Amino acid sequence: MPSAGLQPDAATLLALLEAARERTLDYAARVPDSQWLGPYLKIVNPPLWELGHVAWFQEHWCLRYRPDDTRGGTLAKPMMANADALYNSAIVPHVERWKLPLPAPDQTLRYLRDVLDAVRARIEREGATEHLRYFAQLALFHEEMHNEAFDYTCQTLGYAEKNTQLKQIVTDDLLTGDAAVAGGRFVLGAAPENGFVFDNEKWGHEVEVRPFYMARTAVTYGEFAAFVDDGGYTRRDLWCDDGWRWREAVNATAPLYWQKQGGDWCIKRFDQWSPMEANAAVIHVNWFEASAYCRWAKRRLPAEAEWEFAAATAPGSVLHKRRYPWGDALPTPAHANLYGGAGRTVNVNAHAAGDSAWGVRQLFGNAWEWTADWFNAYPSFVRDPYKEYSEPWFGNHKVLRGGCHATRACLLRNTWRNFYTPDRRDVLAGFRTCALD
């Protein structure tokens, strides 16, 4: 499929918007008739509300927002009556979303269709102007992030798995050990010429990265199982204070979706249990679990700057940053396990074409990777019109990098920062380690 690139034209924008909507409707088709609201959970939204929110967000920014007055934008009337009160996540508390007088599923799907039709008509009429290109991409990336959330919502609620064809390109070069990364001064974050970026990537600023050793591959299910089987969840000395309090509060004795069957670990994927794939990248572990594993292995999580350095620079050329770990060529299935591929994590030795210049594999795709750092503003942070995206979460979330198997390639670039609270293990997150010294 096309990539958003740096300055996508009208045809590319339309193709990306259509592809995102196809994925959204595919999720809607998976929702059982009796589960449009589903149970109240703090970690998911009601499916019916979330679908309407996707349509509302696209309409709000692509059709209604006019940044032409001092109040921050004059809004046209919504296409659906009471849409702001129903779907504006900034003013509708999470717990209230199950109680709202939401339109029926067929009306919600019609709202999705009508909004996209109107956006399509505007792009065809006006072309990819600077204003419309920015907000069409904002809506596109917002929808694709929700589509990723739909994936782990299906996992959380135990919906049936969508049929996917396992696609992985495994090479004979079985990677072990660490890549030696020289470090140096480099620019962490995005530059204005990088095209669309979120406000938390603004702006690039020089930092000093000391030499470090990073694992060439992410931690696998088999490696994490060794930690579990060695009593990792019972040893207080391996856990930070907040992590141990979390572990005791939820009585965690193994990762979410793990179960011993006949003495062997099995993993639940959506509504089915299957034998553990020992060499696949582990997911559904939170920051506390990743940190405890690192102490057990006498390792540590990478700093955010180390992760970006390993992904974006090359030996002898640390000032020139690549857009992707392998260079500037657009992502293909050979480079990474991204959406449209396996539908799960694959062998950590797969996708050698995506190696970084330092010899680190799968920095993109497979699993989001926890870093050591709290999510905070860069020194020259610039708030964007969608002000709720980043600023409310500074200081209480951890940074993740790299994308996962449910992430669309058009979202990714080496400077993109994801963020979750350290207790979240429903999301598609794993990790890789660095040497202590």
Side-chain angles (χ1 to χ4, degrees):
M1 66 173 295
S3 169
L6 297 181
Q7 300 294 342
D9 59 18
T12 300
L13 278 178
L14 288 172
L16 289 163
L17 290 166
E18 295 282 0
R21 185 55 46 84
E22 180 181 352
R23 188 177 173 192
T24 302
L25 295 177
D26 177 71
Y27 165 71
R30 296 175 65 184
V31 179
D33 290 340
S34 62
Q35 293 294 317
W36 281 107
L37 288 181
Y40 168 72
L41 294 171
K42 291 182 178 180
I43 56 175
V44 300
N45 285 304
L48 185 60
W49 180 89
E50 194 158 7
L51 290 167
H53 168 73
V54 166
W56 173 86
F57 189 95
Q58 187 175 69
E59 181 195 9
H60 178 95
W61 293 110
C62 295
L63 301 175
R64 298 175 59 201
Y65 179 73
R66 302 288 186 272
D68 53 8
D69 73 16
T70 58
R71 292 171 294 175
T74 301
L75 294 181
K77 291 183 179 179
M79 297 170 62
M80 175 184 285
N82 210 32
D84 293 340
L86 292 174
Y87 298 123
N88 186 346
S89 59
I91 62 175
V92 181
H94 184 80
V95 69
E96 297 298 321
R97 295 170 192 176
W98 280 261
K99 307 173 187 177
L100 297 169
L102 297 172
D106 61 332
Q107 294 174 290
T108 304
L109 295 175
R110 188 180 309 120
Y111 183 37
L112 279 161
R113 182 196 66 204
D114 291 347
V115 169
L116 182 57
D117 285 347
V119 172
R120 183 188 304 109
R122 185 179 181 191
I123 293 174
E124 291 173 345
R125 182 175 64 250
E126 300 179 19
T129 64
E130 181 179 0
H131 171 91
L132 190 50
R133 181 192 296 118
Y134 175 85
F135 288 105
Q137 288 182 95
L138 175 66
L140 163 70
F141 297 146
H142 172 267
E143 183 164 358
E144 289 291 20
M145 285 188 277
H146 274 280
N147 283 330
E148 183 176 315
F150 291 151
D151 188 279
Y152 60 75
T153 295
C154 288
Q155 172 79 21
T156 299
L157 299 179
Y159 293 171
E161 179 179 6
K162 177 190 175 186
N163 291 327
T164 54
Q165 182 179 0
L166 186 64
K167 297 177 183 178
Q168 56 180 325
I169 302 173
V170 182
T171 59
D172 294 330
D173 58 327
L174 300 179
L175 294 184
T176 58
D178 293 332
V181 185
R185 291 196 68 79
F186 94 116
V187 177
L188 175 67
E193 62 268 22
N194 290 155
F196 182 98
V197 296
F198 287 105
D199 54 13
N200 64 65
E201 301 170 63
K202 299 177 182 177
W203 284 113
H205 54 288
E206 281 199 4
V207 298
E208 181 74 31
V209 175
R210 294 175 58 82
F212 64 99
Y213 291 92
M214 174 178 278
R216 296 180 185 275
T217 59
V219 173
T220 66
Y221 277 104
E223 289 169 332
F224 203 89
F227 161 72
V228 179
D229 291 338
D230 194 40
Y233 280 76
T234 63
R235 291 178 51 185
R236 174 65 182 86
D237 60 300
L238 298 177
W239 296 77
C240 65
D241 291 343
D242 287 342
W244 189 253
R245 280 191 288 269
W246 165 83
R247 194 211 65 77
E248 288 191 312
V250 302
N251 193 30
T253 58
L256 194 63
Y257 309 125
W258 286 38
Q259 184 181 95
K260 276 282 180 76
Q261 296 183 6
D264 296 321
W265 286 111
C266 290
I267 309 297
K268 186 179 182 183
R269 297 189 61 252
F270 300 104
D271 61 340
Q272 301 290 326
W273 289 92
S274 58
M276 173 185 288
E277 298 176 40
N279 292 321
V282 68
I283 54 171
H284 296 305
V285 292
N286 65 24
W287 189 91
F288 296 135
E289 292 167 301
S291 179
Y293 173 94
C294 287
R295 287 191 178 90
W296 173 80
K298 296 181 174 54
R299 307 277 291 178
R300 63 176 177 85
L301 290 172
E304 180 181 13
E306 291 174 329
W307 194 101
E308 188 172 315
F309 192 101
T313 70
S317 182
V318 299
L319 294 181
H320 171 74
K321 290 178 62 175
R322 301 172 167 204
R323 184 169 179 82
Y324 309 107
W326 54 86
D328 296 325
L330 297 178
T332 71
H335 291 114
N337 175 24
L338 298 168
Y339 184 80
R344 67 189 76 175
T345 64
V346 299
N347 191 307
V348 295
N349 285 286
H351 303 288
D355 284 3
S356 79
W358 301 97
V360 182
R361 186 157 299 174
Q362 291 181 8
L363 285 164
F364 272 20
N366 234 10
W368 283 105
E369 298 186 1
W370 292 107
T371 71
D373 292 309
W374 291 102
F375 178 58
N376 282 306
Y378 286 160
S380 52
F381 170 72
V382 179
R383 185 188 302 107
D384 281 346
Y386 177 30
K387 62 182 183 299
E388 295 85 10
Y389 179 68
S390 300
E391 198 166 23
W393 318 116
F394 288 147
N396 57 15
H397 287 52
K398 288 287 187 179
V399 176
L400 302 91
R401 292 298 196 103
C404 69
H405 63 272
T407 307
R408 280 284 192 187
C410 65
L411 280 165
L412 293 177
R413 55 194 168 272
N414 282 329
T415 60
W416 190 30
R417 311 167 77 198
N418 199 359
F419 46 96
Y420 290 113
T421 53
D423 61 317
R424 290 287 297 271
R425 56 178 181 163
D426 59 307
V427 296
L428 306 171
F431 63 106
R432 74 179 63 229
T433 64
C434 287
L436 289 175
D437 186 354

